[in-house]
């Protein structure tokens, strides 16, 4: 009887060890370089913005004041030198649909100051065999409460929404860092983005 139990333990032990050290597909990064949550479908496939040579195109559907806010937010992401937001006029690829940046919407919930909506295309295989699901027809809407924010907060909120367009979820996890733009409680400093944004972008846009 003891021998039989010992054999069972020997059989199960490698499986237990393997489960402890094998990570699931990394949608949540628990390391210090990129502790971010990336949008994923129900199969755990990451969802990111479809690009042309890492270029993300946009077009304005808002007034001049909000254009300036978006432009400052765009500069934040472009300074990372991983992806490049570019105006739709530079888009030469008919298969790339620009992000549409809207002003105030008609949402009745004034507590929602900004929102991002996206459709998704079928899963596509990248060159190194990784499965990625791409965003298609993405829209950012700045809602009623947005105009009550300070200018620096407006830029951070716009940059946060652009992060959603790139595939990042709100960082509500226990490992979030206050300076990360995807921390939904951030929105206090319109400074440069952190290394976490840069490392996360490298991971998904360098495939």
């Amino acid at each position: 009887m003891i021998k039989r139990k010992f054999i069972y333990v020997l059989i199960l032990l490698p499986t237990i060890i393997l489960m402890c050290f094998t990570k699931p597909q990394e949608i949540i990064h628990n390391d210090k370089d990129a502790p971010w949550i990336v949008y994923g479908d129900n199969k755990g496939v990451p969802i990111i913005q479809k690009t042309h040579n890492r270029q993300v195109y946009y077009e304005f559907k808002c007034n001049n004041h909000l254009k300036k806010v978006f432009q400052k937010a765009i500069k934040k992401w472009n300074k990372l030198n991983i992806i490049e937001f570019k105006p739709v006029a530079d888009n030469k690829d008919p298969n790339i649909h620009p992000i549409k940046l809207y002003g105030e919407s008609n949402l009745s919930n004034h507590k929602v100051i900004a929102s991002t909506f996206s459709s998704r295309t079928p899963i596509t295989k990248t060159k190194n065999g990784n499965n990625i699901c791409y965003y298609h027809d993405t829209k950012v809407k700045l809602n009623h409460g947005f105009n009550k924010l300070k200018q620096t907060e407006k830029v951070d909120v716009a940059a946060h929404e652009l992060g959603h367009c790139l595939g990042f979820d709100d960082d509500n996890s226990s490992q979030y860092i206050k300076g990360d733009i995807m921390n939904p409680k951030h929105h206090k400093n319109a400074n440069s983005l952190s290394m976490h944004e840069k490392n996360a972008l490298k991971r998904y846009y360098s495939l």
Side-chain angles (χ1 to χ4, degrees):
M1 186 71 179
I2 295 173
K3 270 189 176 182
R4 187 177 295 176
K5 285 184 178 179
F6 182 71
I7 291 169
Y8 286 153
V9 169
L10 286 179
I11 293 170
L12 291 172
L13 191 60
T15 306
I16 294 167
I17 292 171
L18 193 63
M19 286 173 68
C20 290
F21 289 95
T22 303
K23 292 182 179 179
Q25 186 169 2
E26 288 188 322
I27 301 304
I28 299 179
H29 302 295
N30 292 310
D31 58 84
K32 64 180 180 180
D33 292 326
W36 271 27
I37 302 170
V38 177
Y39 277 137
D41 65 8
N42 57 8
K43 296 178 182 176
V45 177
I47 301 171
I48 66 173
Q49 183 70 46
K50 191 169 185 180
T51 67
H52 177 71
N53 294 330
R54 300 190 205 174
Q55 294 170 337
V56 180
Y57 294 98
Y58 64 88
E59 63 177 319
F60 291 120
K61 299 284 187 178
C62 56
N63 61 38
N64 287 332
H65 171 70
L66 294 180
K67 281 183 185 179
K68 290 177 182 178
V69 172
F70 274 122
Q71 284 167 340
K72 287 180 181 179
I74 284 166
K75 282 182 181 179
K76 280 173 167 282
W77 288 101
N78 285 352
K79 279 183 180 179
L80 298 179
N81 294 317
I82 306 298
I83 54 92
E84 182 183 13
F85 282 103
K86 298 188 74 174
V88 67
D90 296 337
N91 185 10
K92 308 300 181 187
D93 187 342
N95 296 313
I96 301 293
H97 298 270
I99 294 169
K100 296 178 178 65
L101 305 176
Y102 287 87
E104 286 192 321
S105 73
N106 293 320
L107 286 182
S108 59
N109 184 356
H110 289 219
K111 291 181 180 179
V112 179
I113 58 175
S115 49
T116 299
F117 307 89
S118 297
S119 302
R120 299 167 185 176
T121 61
I123 294 171
T124 304
K125 280 197 172 184
T126 60
K127 61 185 177 183
N128 64 354
N130 287 289
N131 284 331
I132 296 288
C133 190
Y134 291 103
Y135 276 139
H136 175 77
D137 192 22
T138 309
K139 301 177 181 69
V140 175
K141 293 186 177 182
L142 304 177
N143 305 321
H144 302 288
F146 186 82
N147 283 331
K148 297 178 182 178
L149 300 176
K150 296 177 183 177
Q151 185 65 16
T152 53
E153 291 175 327
K154 288 180 180 179
V155 174
D156 268 2
V157 170
H160 179 95
E161 295 306 315
L162 290 174
H164 285 317
C165 293
L166 295 172
F168 297 116
D169 201 350
D170 287 327
D171 192 351
N172 289 312
S173 58
S174 59
Q175 72 265 23
Y176 78 76
I177 294 176
K178 288 183 179 180
D180 286 344
I181 204 72
M182 298 315 294
N183 169 8
K185 295 180 182 178
H186 177 48
H187 309 327
K188 290 181 180 178
N189 300 301
N191 299 318
S192 59
L193 303 184
S194 74
M195 284 300 294
H196 303 118
E197 285 90 348
K198 188 167 187 174
N199 290 332
L201 284 178
K202 274 183 182 177
R203 181 179 182 88
Y204 290 105
Y205 287 89
S206 299
L207 293 174

